[in-house]
Amino acid sequence: TLFVSTMASASVTAWGDKFYIATNENAPHEQVFEAESEHPERRSWKVIVPERKDTGIETAQVLGNRLVLQVLNNVSSHIEIRSLSGELLTQIKLPERGTIQDITGREDEEAGYFEFESFFFPPRIYRFSPATGKTILWAKNPVPFDPSLYQIEPVSFRSKDETPISMVILHRKTVRKPMPRPFLLLGYGG
């Protein structure tokens, strides 16, 4: 048995003679382990991507013979491309702050795909190379909207208990500050 827990979750990718395990066991923001297929016991696992307090690992998979992580940092998704030993090779450049969905591809092929959307861009599909990190727009639906008229302004502050809070303010570029303005506040939390 590779992983059994009632208090944690894990995703496992088998590639070559190794298992790559992303888990929140003793790491709320997740970490990634490597395990030999011949010795999958927990005591033999080796941390290859340690937990980071400011970045959560959302998915981990092997694409193009590299480890591809979808991470969340400061209210925005990012894609990290790492060697199979966990070394950071590059990050995918995204059009702006936004959300990534459904990173797909094959372990042995040099192309992967992901869906990206943001406050100003409807879902689009990008093709990327795990070898170089380069992306190209692969598919989009035309929408009669000009996102260049707007901007995203990241801000952060501390709550009463000193917990760091990140958020974004969306507005037309022509809005002058400071000036009291009506606004709509949306939020979530745990």
Side-chain angles (χ1 to χ4, degrees):
T1 302
L2 189 62
F3 186 85
V4 175
S5 174
T6 59
M7 303 299 292
S9 62
S11 65
V12 180
T13 299
W15 179 240
D17 60 353
K18 299 190 184 334
F19 295 112
Y20 298 92
I21 305 116
T23 180
N24 62 356
E25 181 181 50
N26 300 319
H29 298 285
E30 298 218 1
Q31 58 189 333
V32 180
F33 291 89
E34 172 190 272
E36 301 285 334
S37 60
E38 295 294 317
H39 301 284
E41 311 78 32
R42 179 65 175 90
R43 68 180 177 278
S44 300
W45 294 9
K46 179 177 112 182
V47 174
I48 58 171
V49 181
E51 177 187 32
R52 292 166 281 175
K53 297 299 179 199
D54 65 341
T55 302
I57 298 172
E58 296 189 316
T59 65
Q61 59 199 83
V62 175
L63 297 175
N65 209 35
R66 288 168 185 78
L67 190 60
V68 177
L69 303 181
Q70 177 184 333
V71 299
L72 183 65
N73 177 276
N74 200 19
V75 236
S76 188
S77 293
H78 303 276
I79 298 176
E80 297 177 350
I81 299 176
R82 294 176 172 266
S83 69
L84 292 178
S85 61
E87 174 192 358
L88 180 63
L89 301 173
T90 191
Q91 287 193 359
I92 299 284
K93 180 151 176 49
L94 301 172
E96 64 177 38
R97 290 176 163 275
T99 303
I100 295 164
Q101 301 289 330
D102 304 322
I103 299 175
T104 61
R106 292 181 47 142
E107 294 89 345
D108 60 347
E109 290 187 359
E110 287 301 317
Y113 299 85
F114 64 90
E115 181 182 309
F116 174 82
E117 68 181 300
S118 72
F119 294 106
F120 302 126
F121 287 100
R124 299 169 170 213
I125 299 173
Y126 288 85
R127 181 177 188 210
F128 74 98
S129 165
T132 65
K134 296 203 182 312
T135 63
I136 59 167
L137 181 61
W138 191 72
K140 71 175 185 172
N141 288 321
V143 177
F145 173 74
D146 183 2
S148 69
L149 301 175
Y150 299 88
Q151 73 181 41
I152 298 173
E153 183 180 339
V155 295
S156 62
F157 58 94
R158 296 210 172 261
S159 67
K160 279 186 183 180
D161 68 354
E162 295 299 311
T163 301
I165 306 294
S166 297
M167 69 182 217
V168 293
I169 297 173
L170 314 171
H171 59 85
R172 281 186 165 274
K173 289 181 178 177
T174 57
V175 170
R176 286 178 281 158
K177 297 184 292 186
M179 184 184 246
R181 300 218 178 266
F183 66 94
L184 176 64
L185 178 64
L186 299 173
Y188 68 93

